[in-house]
Amino acid sequence: MTRKNTSSIVYPKCVVFDLDYTLWPLWIDTHVTPPFRADEKNSSIVWDRYGTAIQFYDDVVAILQDLRDHGVSLCLASRTCEPKYAFRVLDLMKVTIDGKKQPAKNFFAIAEIYPGSKITHMQNISKKLNIEYKDMLFFDDESRNREVERLGVTFQLLPDGLNKASSLEGYRAFAMRNGLSR
Ligand SMILES: [Mg+2]
């Protein structure tokens, strides 16, 4: 079930991330315009038509890699109105995964990207991974999406996007909710 490591972090089986203002500081359907292209020198940056850079927040790759190293399934749940922009950028953006530059999308087992209540996104992830809601932790910057807690998912609000401190807060909230904290 849920595992603990030596530093006493309780890792959920599955961690789900919103995209906009959770993994990157913009709305992909509002603030940028296709076509998108990868930066020639720094492959973790993608540029839009008008020279706006799209890049993850600083701590994101390290957090995702740490979860991956602990066998956690990583998923995306975004309600953007432009899913194809999101998929395109996650394909163009290359980050280091397991020591190798790869499309950022490779971090994620499942990407549920479409408008509407995130209850649906969580239901689809639970079904596809055959995982219980109580084993899922969801990071998101919008409090309206807290409604997923009705299912039993742990919700962690991120006022300033995903970073080391907010990720640890999420793991603690997950442990508390599931009665696993020390
Ligand atoms: Mg968001």
Side-chain angles (χ1 to χ4, degrees), residues 18-22 27 118 140-142 145:
D18 166 50
L19 270 174
D20 297 343
Y21 290 99
T22 291
W27 282 325
K118 291 200 181 178
D140 194 297
D141 67 297
E142 286 188 71
N145 296 320

Side-chain angles (χ1 to χ4, degrees), residues 56-110:
F56 285 156
Y57 288 114
D58 288 347
D59 296 350
V60 165
V61 171
I63 291 166
L64 298 181
Q65 183 67 53
D66 176 61
L67 289 167
R68 184 175 170 88
D69 291 343
H70 287 88
V72 179
S73 295
L74 306 181
C75 301
L76 290 172
S78 166
R79 55 196 294 177
T80 182
C81 296
E82 295 288 1
K84 62 182 185 302
Y85 295 3
F87 283 116
R88 179 70 181 140
V89 169
L90 290 167
D91 198 23
L92 283 172
M93 184 188 287
K94 306 291 189 295
V95 295
T96 302
I97 306 175
D98 301 341
K100 215 178 85 192
K101 288 274 179 202
Q102 304 183 40
K105 67 174 183 190
N106 289 4
F107 262 127
F108 305 101
I110 292 176

Side-chain angles (χ1 to χ4, degrees), residues 33-53:
T33 309
F36 303 106
R37 63 176 177 84
D39 186 275
E40 280 156 28
K41 290 207 180 85
N42 182 349
S43 63
S44 67
I45 299 174
V46 173
W47 296 98
D48 88 332
R49 171 190 288 256
Y50 299 113
T52 300

